[in-house]
Amino acid sequence: MVGLGDIARKAYLPVLSQRGDLDIHLTTRNKVVLDEVGREFRIVNRHASVADALSATSFGAAFVHAATPAHGELVRLLIEQGIATFVDKPLADSFSETEALVTLAAARGTPLVLGFNRRFAPDYVALRAVDANLIVMEKHRHRQPDLPRRVVFDDFIHVVDTLLSLSPAPVRRRTIETHVVDDMLHGITLTLAGDGFTAIGMMHRNSGLDEERLDVIGGGMRHSVRNLAERVEAQGTQSVKRRPDWISVGRQRGFEAMCDDFLIAVRARRPVDAAAILATHAICEAIVRHAETHIREEVPAGADYRDGA
């Protein structure tokens, strides 16, 4: 495991450290963190760098939880060593680098998997069986405007990937709107559409609350998941189902199933799903371009669309 920040400590190590079939090695240049995490999870194999780890032993798989700017160099090194690699989203914060890494993994026949846990969250998985006509996902942040590339590739990418994974047919049309203030991205609205469905993703970075909501509508029903912990079903009347106390956060948010799936991919040497990775990152790159160039629809002089003009 490369990188021992919050996501590694809160989401992955609680899951992986419980497995008896893994020999886990930890890697970070921060010795204080390395020793602290090693003690917390009772892991004795600790390395100051990836190079040190690779020189000490051989590995079947790697989990990369380093900061986004370090992904490219680390993932390239691991793939060139033939090591199946799991990396937190995004693979890279540009489409060109993402494409290069996916191409390398495909050419080397090395498994490469992205950490999209919502694809494995039970309440989201259940929505794939819904005959969806309308999919709406909102993911908001409280007072966190930031640079467009960071917002989109580090956060809104979850919305993009979830919409793509739930879309019941190929996406044929796409529209993007962004709200930029002083070069900081405040809001995004993405619409994807195809035969018989529309999928809308929204994020506001200056909202009143950190929150996430997914609504899937079709067949006379509305299925809602709030903050990955509460499911609401509406069909004339409404019922609410909350996460039982005994179900772990790792299971509810999809981390357990995602780790299991990656380890299956490692043992089977499953090829990289290039199409899915590239589709998600291509849309993210398009959103960034839209925000960075401040593209806006020009309203004709004298017109006011609020009045239907």
Side-chain angles (χ1 to χ4, degrees):
M1 182 172 290
V2 184
L4 303 177
D6 283 348
I7 189 68
R9 300 172 73 166
K10 293 179 180 178
Y12 291 95
L13 281 169
V15 172
L16 297 173
S17 64
Q18 299 302 309
R19 296 184 62 125
D21 59 339
L22 301 180
D23 179 24
I24 301 176
H25 290 241
L26 304 177
T27 302
T28 180
R29 287 177 285 187
N30 188 323
K31 190 177 188 308
V32 173
V33 171
L34 184 64
D35 291 340
E36 181 180 285
V37 175
R39 288 193 301 269
E40 180 181 355
F41 293 97
R42 297 179 174 84
I43 298 172
V44 298
N45 302 307
R46 307 170 193 174
H47 308 277
S49 69
V50 175
D52 288 349
L54 292 175
S55 65
T57 187
S58 60
F59 297 92
F63 283 78
V64 176
H65 303 302
T68 297
H71 285 186
E73 180 180 354
L74 290 170
V75 172
R76 187 172 291 105
L77 172 62
L78 292 165
I79 291 174
E80 288 174 346
Q81 295 288 326
I83 299 171
T85 300
F86 178 103
V87 58
D88 283 332
K89 55 71 195 165
L91 180 53
D93 62 0
S94 72
F95 180 75
S96 59
E97 187 169 15
T98 297
E99 189 174 36
L101 292 171
V102 168
T103 300
L104 178 63
R108 296 296 181 95
T110 303
L112 175 61
V113 172
L114 271 291
F116 290 119
N117 60 295
R118 286 157 181 77
R119 286 180 174 249
F120 299 90
D123 286 340
Y124 279 19
V125 170
L127 297 181
R128 293 179 192 160
V130 176
D131 183 16
N133 304 120
L134 177 63
I135 303 164
V136 180
M137 185 173 180
E138 299 178 60
K139 192 173 190 291
H140 304 303
R141 296 293 187 184
H142 177 55
R143 297 186 182 277
Q144 294 184 49
D146 206 338
L147 296 173
R149 191 163 294 276
R150 192 150 51 216
V151 168
V152 175
F153 277 95
D154 281 353
D155 199 0
F156 193 73
I157 191 170
H158 274 306
V159 177
V160 175
D161 190 74
T162 301
L163 294 181
L164 289 174
S165 70
L166 291 175
S167 294
V171 173
R172 304 297 187 191
R173 298 174 297 281
R174 179 184 79 197
T175 60
I176 296 167
E177 288 294 335
T178 56
H179 178 210
V180 178
V181 179
D182 296 329
D183 295 326
M184 304 296 276
L185 183 56
H186 283 238
I188 308 166
T189 301
L190 169 70
T191 302
L192 307 175
D195 294 341
F197 81 95
T198 301
I200 302 169
M202 292 177 284
M203 173 175 281
H204 205 290
R205 301 286 296 194
N206 199 20
S207 180
L209 192 67
D210 287 355
E211 60 181 336
E212 178 173 328
R213 175 172 178 145
L214 175 64
D215 292 286
V216 176
I217 300 173
M221 294 188 68
R222 177 176 183 152
H223 312 263
S224 303
V225 180
R226 299 170 180 168
N227 296 318
L228 286 163
E230 181 180 84
R231 185 166 177 177
V232 181
E233 303 285 352
Q235 189 178 18
T237 59
Q238 181 173 282
S239 64
V240 180
K241 180 180 179 182
R242 294 178 176 85
R243 175 176 68 88
D245 292 339
W246 53 269
I247 292 183
S248 69
V249 174
R251 179 173 299 176
Q252 184 70 21
R253 298 183 73 88
F255 287 97
E256 285 187 14
M258 183 170 61
C259 289
D260 287 344
D261 180 74
F262 172 61
L263 294 172
I264 290 170
V266 172
R267 295 184 173 108
R269 300 297 291 181
R270 189 169 70 204
V272 57
D273 188 350
I277 294 174
L278 293 178
T280 297
H281 287 70
I283 291 174
C284 287
E285 187 68 39
I287 297 169
V288 172
R289 287 201 307 268
H290 188 286
E292 289 182 341
T293 54
H294 296 224
I295 298 173
R296 295 293 179 270
E297 179 185 9
E298 292 293 332
V299 178
D304 188 339
Y305 290 160
R306 293 171 297 178
D307 297 329

